[in-house]
Amino acid sequence: GQNIDQPTEMTATEGAIVQINCTYQTSGFNGLFWYQQHAGEAPTFLSYNVLDGLEEKGRFSSFLSRSKGYSYLLLKELQMKDSASYLCAVLDSNYQLIWGAGTKLIIKP
Amino acid sequence: DAMVIQNPRYQVTQFGKPVTLSCSQTLNHNVMYWYQQKSSQAPKLLFHYYDKDFNNEADTPDNFQSRRPNTSFCFLDIRSPGLGDAAMYLCATSPGGQGADTQYFGPGTRLTVL
């Protein structure tokens, strides 16, 4: 079966750095997405990785290792507005998006 | 601004009373998706359309149906809502070109079943 694993919840302090991990086992791989979802709202696109390595976009970076079936989302200089769920999703060989359940990130002052 | 619009944002219905959720897009994307998302769970794909080509997920209950009358609009019909159908319903679109597609989501409709 296809599986995406990410921690259910994480807590971090305003101004700090946090890394949210995602491991996946899918039939084929055509890229990995990270989405941010605030409570009661729709997911919004953050990043897409298909090649190994780190993609940096402002305060957010996303890393991929295809050989390890592993990705992480790195958030720097955390702000209170970063409190949200972060969903990892993998595009499989049929270009179907397989979703993780999301990691709820709680930011404390 | 190009966007994905869902109406209504909040829908309350009674057990067994049919309900229709709507989605429209001004992005001119070929693909439209309907997801169901329950609290703290991953979005679950119900249907997707590649243009007018309808794709039903194998485990989508028969209680759910969809229509896409044109490129811009897509509807989700729940024929006889049960308490277990209370959820956020998300519409998404993607360009539908070759290769990986980024999906863009509407604000969602939160369905309550009384």
Side-chain angles (χ1 to χ4, degrees):
Chain A
Q2 310 208 82
N3 199 47
I4 310 279
D5 282 316
Q6 41 181 142
T8 305
E9 187 174 295
M10 298 181 71
T11 303
T13 305
E14 191 177 13
I17 299 173
V18 72
Q19 177 174 312
I20 302 173
N21 295 325
C22 170
T23 57
Y24 62 89
Q25 292 170 307
T26 56
S27 41
F29 179 83
N30 280 300
L32 185 145
F33 292 85
W34 283 97
Y35 280 82
Q36 180 191 60
Q37 186 175 27
H38 285 101
E41 297 182 13
T44 55
F45 170 75
L46 288 178
S47 66
Y48 171 70
N49 293 66
V50 67
L51 299 176
D52 289 350
L54 188 68
E55 296 268 349
E56 297 189 69
K57 201 186 279 188
R59 293 190 299 116
F60 292 10
S61 304
S62 55
F63 172 83
L64 175 68
S65 169
R66 287 172 297 171
S67 62
K68 295 181 180 175
Y70 168 69
S71 173
Y72 67 73
L73 181 69
L74 191 72
L75 291 77
K76 301 177 186 174
E77 300 168 20
L78 285 170
Q79 301 175 9
M80 297 303 291
K81 67 178 182 179
D82 298 329
S83 292
S85 286
Y86 292 85
L87 294 104
C88 172
V90 171
L91 212 54
D92 72 7
S93 56
N94 294 320
Y95 290 95
Q96 276 231 336
L97 206 52
I98 311 300
W99 292 87
T103 298
K104 183 178 180 181
L105 178 63
I106 299 167
I107 312 291
K108 295 188 173 177
Chain B
D1 283 345
M3 55 177 61
V4 182
I5 302 158
Q6 289 188 246
N7 285 304
R9 294 291 308 277
Y10 299 90
Q11 175 73 59
V12 180
T13 191
Q14 292 185 334
F15 185 95
K17 185 175 179 183
V19 68
T20 295
L21 310 182
S22 74
C23 177
S24 63
Q25 54 125 344
T26 60
L27 297 161
N28 205 30
H29 283 173
N30 283 323
V31 192
M32 294 187 79
Y33 308 79
W34 278 109
Y35 286 91
Q36 179 194 64
Q37 188 180 27
K38 297 187 178 181
S39 182
S40 302
Q41 295 185 19
K44 179 181 181 300
L45 184 64
L46 297 174
F47 310 98
H48 74 278
Y49 284 87
Y50 193 106
D51 197 7
K52 291 185 179 177
D53 181 23
F54 174 70
N55 296 273
N56 185 19
E57 297 308 300
D59 57 353
T60 298
D62 292 340
N63 196 27
F64 291 86
Q65 296 187 332
S66 182
R67 297 169 280 137
R68 188 178 184 187
N70 56 52
T71 306
S72 302
F73 286 87
C74 199
F75 299 96
L76 177 65
D77 301 306
I78 310 176
R79 291 196 289 184
S80 181
L83 297 178
D85 297 326
M88 175 78 92
Y89 289 88
L90 296 165
C91 174
T93 72
S94 67
Q98 288 191 341
D101 250 0
T102 299
Q103 294 184 21
Y104 297 90
F105 286 83
T109 295
R110 180 163 296 283
L111 178 68
T112 301
V113 181
L114 300 177

